[in-house]
Amino acid sequence: MQDNATEVTAAGIARLAGVGRAAVSNWRRRHADFPRPVGGTETSPAFALAEVEEWLRRHRKLAEVPLKERVWQQLAGHPDGPVTALVHAGCALLLIHERPPVWLDISSGTDERLAALLPTALDEVLTPRVPGTARPGRSDRSRVNGQPPVNTPPAATPANPATPATPATPATSATPATSATLALAIPTAPRLLPSVPLLRGVAELAADRGARPTFEFLLGRHLDANPRQYTLTPPDLAGLMAALAGTPATVLDPSCGTGALLRAVADRPDRRLHAQDTSPELAALTALRLALHTRAPVHAAAGDTLRADAYPELRADAVLCHPPFNERNWGHDDLAYDPRWEYGFPARTESELAWVQHALARLRDGGTAVLLMPPAVASRRSGRRIRADLLRRSALRAVVALPAGAAPPYSVPLHLWVLRRPDRTHAQPELLLVDAGRFTAEGRGGPDWPGVRETVLDAWGAFDRDGGVEERPGVARSVPVIELLDDDVDLTPARRLPPPADTDGAGRLADVRARLDETLRLTAELAPPPAEPVPSAASGRLPLTTVGELARAGALVMRTGGHGGRARVPVLTDHDVLAGTAPSGTLPESEEEPVLTEPGDVVLPVLGGGAVARVVDEATAGAVLGRNLVLLRPDPAALDAWFLAGFLRGTANHRQASSYASTATRLDVRRLQLPRLAPDEQRRYGERFRALDAFERALREAGRLGEQLVRGMYDGLTDGTIAPD
């Protein structure tokens, strides 16, 4: 069966051919036989993948495409949408992981045979791993709270690949569901038939890298392609929340998203996982992801948790939750008399306190819940009565202020609330307050997670074991509840912790001033000499070439940033390149082979319109190339790296090589120009460009130190540690 239904966009065609999108536009204009669009929109058309590949092959423009890229294009262009394709791929990968001989048998024949035999094989694998999975025609096993399961979107209404997928957080609805449904239903043979070419490619990819890494790669690419449509829990934060919960046997995540929190829970033989999400698609993906990740039974349901709880009788050892923030339509009018509100009926503006009480209601006595919360929940007046009752009854045990950048929205320092369903009365209850804000890192690479984890877990471990902690000014303190029960019941850690001791503030600022003086002296030395104009007789236009021509001639190699890579490897981001800072980013963990930088590489950001090019030095070498970056690796015998980087920074050069959309500027690196010069002349330019780069870095460092000095002086004068004279 030909994969004629799979669609690909112009960007996908560019990836297949190893060219820029501008080249694809030129082909459409110049070649009358170029395939016609079969979908998409007028501004973003979609083409049949099989027709595009045949045309590229006929015109000898088809690049050697890695298998993983071809599989991704098939998934992204699936006629029923990428989420349906991911679910089908996940089902097949679970079968390959659990029973490879069965897969080899049913895939050895025609596509029609594979589609016909696959549902039965999936039933034998999915039913024990994801209890309650619905088999076509078996409605008796398909109900949660009396309702049939949610299947993948119907084939009669194919989704546009460019259409955003369902968000990870519950969407506001005028008529929310009142019953939860099972997350997975085994797709029928007609539904599977269009996916068979994809499944064969997925199986081939899994044979090379394994079933679990293959699913993680495809899921990560899908999430990365739709960054605004999903609210993700970063792996480091998920690991911290799971560590705070201990080693529970039964764990619930009532707003599971893509399953990051349940995936982070420590393994144990008797573990049982329960997940629910408003989005049926995300609930299905979570079920498959967890089934591939663990041997534990995975119970997954779709539905609005607050209105349609799938597990009303569950008493879990732990609840982990990253709930939707600031929801107004969470069920305030429908749930006024719900028995879960033991600590008070939440106001319409306090949806987070509804999630807190739902988590407590699903815990056994002594069970632990860890929730990610916006900081306003700790101080809003509308929630003070509920906060007071949580404190009086020792249900709320700790509030942890995280550094900014820990999770979306990255500009806000979120909180963790650690709760415990009361199993005894505390004579003098206390609340642990921890402020990890000092671990905020410069740039966009996220906090210093090892520091955050050590500080938080040490404080929580001592508090949980001894009932209190030794006070650490500015970091941790166990506060008697009686001190918190005032008119505001404000639980913000920074407002209740003593300020950090700074016995040598003046000395520290003196050191900053000395460094600033030295940097300013160096900056003056590095300042370029007065510019000498070129005589008009010698200013003739030099012969030019382009980056694309140099790449085709072998003078340089061009690579683009990836979408995943090995864990704990520093990532050079576009922000790092623009700001001149050290690698600070992270990428989703996957088995994708990352692009590693080497000394002498030239790195350029392709979004934003800034004329910037950075030469990789020894300190930056070895970092992973991040997204929205292009790496040029010149042949030292043909090109000087500093000469290349300097000419690529020209403003006019960037302007002629950039394309402009309504909200962004994109750089086509292949169109950037530089003169054809002999090696000696290149080195002359290169030395001048290197000196300009050193001057620029000194200016940047002077600005940073100046800001640090000014802020320190303001703080010292206002807190009394520095005298005004």
Side-chain angles (χ1 to χ4, degrees):
M1 171 183 167
Q2 277 284 347
D3 189 20
N4 292 315
T6 300
E7 299 176 3
V8 62
T9 63
I13 297 174
R15 280 181 175 271
L16 289 171
V19 299
R21 294 181 63 178
V24 179
S25 299
N26 289 335
W27 294 342
R28 292 185 64 194
R29 288 194 298 268
R30 296 177 181 176
H31 297 276
D33 62 337
F34 193 87
R36 301 298 179 190
V38 296
T41 64
E42 184 175 344
T43 57
S44 180
F47 307 84
L49 178 60
E51 294 178 7
V52 167
E53 287 184 327
E54 195 278 329
W55 187 89
L56 292 172
R57 193 174 292 109
R58 189 168 67 248
H59 288 263
R60 298 181 179 180
K61 299 181 183 296
L62 187 62
E64 189 66 32
V65 183
L67 173 62
K68 62 181 181 181
E69 190 60 42
R70 174 174 172 79
V71 171
W72 167 248
Q73 292 295 344
Q74 290 177 311
L75 186 146
H78 194 281
D80 288 342
V83 175
T84 296
L86 263 174
V87 171
H88 291 179
C91 289
L93 286 168
L94 186 60
L95 177 62
I96 293 168
H97 180 67
E98 296 282 326
R99 302 185 182 181
V102 174
W103 168 261
L104 291 174
D105 176 51
I106 66 175
S107 63
S108 60
T110 64
D111 289 357
E112 288 75 9
R113 178 177 181 270
L114 173 57
L117 296 178
L118 189 54
T120 301
L122 291 177
D123 181 49
E124 296 175 355
V125 171
L126 280 171
T127 300
R129 300 304 318 283
V130 186
T133 299
R135 179 182 176 185
R138 291 281 300 277
S139 61
D140 57 313
R141 287 200 330 226
S142 66
R143 298 175 179 272
V144 173
N145 294 346
Q147 293 296 320
V150 175
N151 207 334
T152 48
T157 56
N160 186 335
T163 302
T166 305
T169 53
T172 300
S173 171
T175 56
T178 57
S179 297
T181 61
L182 294 173
L184 273 178
I186 297 173
T188 61
R191 296 295 312 284
L192 285 168
L193 191 57
S195 299
V196 169
L198 166 67
L199 301 186
R200 293 190 186 278
V202 165
E204 187 178 352
L205 193 59
D208 178 54
R209 56 172 58 192
R212 183 186 301 137
T214 296
F215 187 75
E216 290 294 324
F217 161 70
L218 295 174
L219 177 62
R221 283 290 292 267
H222 174 66
L223 298 176
D224 188 63
N226 301 275
R228 298 184 180 180
Q229 304 304 318
Y230 297 93
T231 302
L232 304 180
T233 308
D236 289 305
L237 176 58
L240 174 61
M241 294 174 67
L244 287 168
T247 56
T250 305
V251 190
L252 166 68
D253 185 347
S255 181
C256 63
T258 57
L261 290 174
L262 292 177
R263 186 171 178 264
V265 175
D267 201 4
R268 54 182 289 177
D270 58 342
R271 186 172 65 175
R272 298 183 303 280
L273 303 177
H274 295 75
Q276 183 170 351
D277 198 273
T278 299
S279 165
E281 293 86 358
L282 285 171
L285 292 176
T286 291
L288 290 167
R289 187 183 194 189
L290 294 174
L292 280 163
H293 178 72
T294 178
R295 298 299 306 173
V298 179
H299 303 265
D304 185 332
T305 296
L306 295 181
R307 288 187 174 91
D309 183 13
Y311 312 106
E313 305 302 321
L314 179 66
R315 296 298 177 265
D317 298 314
V319 174
L320 300 175
C321 187
H322 178 173
F325 297 161
N326 303 316
E327 285 285 308
R328 293 300 183 99
N329 188 27
W330 58 267
H332 179 271
D333 295 336
D334 307 323
L335 303 172
Y337 301 103
D338 195 287
R340 287 173 291 184
W341 315 142
E342 295 182 47
Y343 302 88
F345 181 40
R348 189 183 302 276
T349 57
E350 295 286 355
S351 62
E352 296 87 0
L353 292 180
W355 285 97
V356 164
Q357 295 190 75
H358 173 80
L360 286 167
R362 293 296 157 263
L363 287 173
R364 63 166 177 80
D365 290 346
T368 302
V370 185
L371 283 81
L372 184 66
M373 308 290 276
V377 183
S379 58
R380 280 194 298 242
R381 289 189 60 82
S382 55
R384 66 188 186 278
R385 292 183 179 177
I386 295 178
R387 292 196 299 272
D389 208 30
L390 290 169
L391 292 174
R392 290 190 191 97
R393 298 169 61 180
S394 299
L396 180 58
R397 305 298 294 141
V399 176
V400 177
L402 296 170
Y410 290 106
S411 59
V412 178
L414 301 175
H415 287 180
L416 287 178
W417 282 26
V418 183
L419 304 111
R420 183 158 288 162
R421 184 165 182 84
D423 58 351
R424 59 190 176 90
T425 302
H426 294 263
Q428 295 180 329
E430 295 188 350
L431 176 72
L432 173 65
L433 297 178
V434 181
D435 188 350
R438 67 193 181 103
F439 294 103
T440 302
E442 295 183 5
R444 298 189 303 182
D448 172 12
W449 278 111
V452 173
R453 185 180 177 93
E454 180 182 3
T455 298
V456 173
L457 294 182
D458 283 354
W460 170 248
F463 180 81
D464 193 34
R465 180 181 63 252
D466 305 327
V469 296
E470 182 178 348
E471 183 176 293
R472 295 177 59 190
V475 177
R477 177 191 175 202
S478 53
V479 184
V481 164
I482 193 65
E483 292 185 17
L484 302 169
L485 297 177
D486 52 20
D487 289 341
D488 296 322
V489 197
D490 190 338
L491 309 182
T492 305
R495 295 172 185 161
R496 300 287 183 174
L497 293 174
D502 189 357
T503 58
D504 192 28
R508 180 171 48 83
L509 290 179
D511 179 63
V512 173
R513 175 58 188 264
R515 291 163 56 200
L516 176 60
D517 289 343
E518 177 63 20
T519 303
L520 290 174
R521 183 191 61 77
L522 178 63
T523 303
E525 293 177 0
L526 293 173
E532 295 290 340
V534 177
S536 57
S539 60
R541 184 173 178 81
L542 296 171
L544 299 176
T545 186
T546 66
V547 169
E549 291 172 351
L550 291 170
R552 286 191 290 273
L556 58 83
V557 175
M558 187 165 69
R559 303 289 299 276
T560 58
H563 299 268
R566 305 185 188 99
R568 302 188 182 280
V569 178
V571 176
L572 185 67
T573 69
D574 54 348
H575 182 271
D576 298 330
V577 174
L578 293 168
T581 54
S584 64
T586 58
L587 286 176
E589 182 179 347
S590 75
E591 294 299 316
E592 181 177 354
E593 190 65 27
V595 178
L596 300 180
T597 59
E598 297 179 1
D601 290 343
V602 178
V603 180
L604 301 89
V606 296
L607 295 180
V612 177
R614 176 171 173 177
V615 178
V616 175
D617 56 17
E618 293 290 345
T620 307
V624 174
L625 188 69
R627 293 166 291 187
N628 301 322
L629 290 176
V630 170
L631 179 147
L632 304 178
R633 183 164 292 159
D635 180 355
L639 277 175
D640 180 82
W642 285 102
F643 161 78
L644 173 64
F647 273 97
L648 297 187
R649 288 194 60 170
T651 303
N653 202 3
H654 267 246
R655 187 180 299 120
Q656 65 84 26
S658 296
S659 58
Y660 303 93
S662 58
T663 59
T665 302
R666 186 172 188 89
L667 179 68
D668 185 350
V669 176
R670 290 176 178 271
R671 292 170 55 187
L672 289 170
Q673 299 174 337
L674 62 157
R676 298 178 183 271
L677 295 177
D680 289 343
E681 192 67 10
Q682 289 185 32
R683 283 190 285 272
R684 282 186 59 216
Y685 275 100
E687 287 302 319
R688 189 66 181 271
F689 288 137
R690 185 197 293 264
L692 282 174
D693 179 77
F695 176 62
E696 182 181 37
R697 285 188 282 111
L699 281 175
R700 188 180 292 120
E701 177 66 8
R704 187 185 69 81
L705 290 171
E707 291 180 3
Q708 187 176 344
L709 179 62
V710 169
R711 173 50 52 197
M713 290 295 296
Y714 271 111
D715 289 344
L717 288 167
T718 55
D719 64 21
T721 58
I722 295 177
D725 50 0

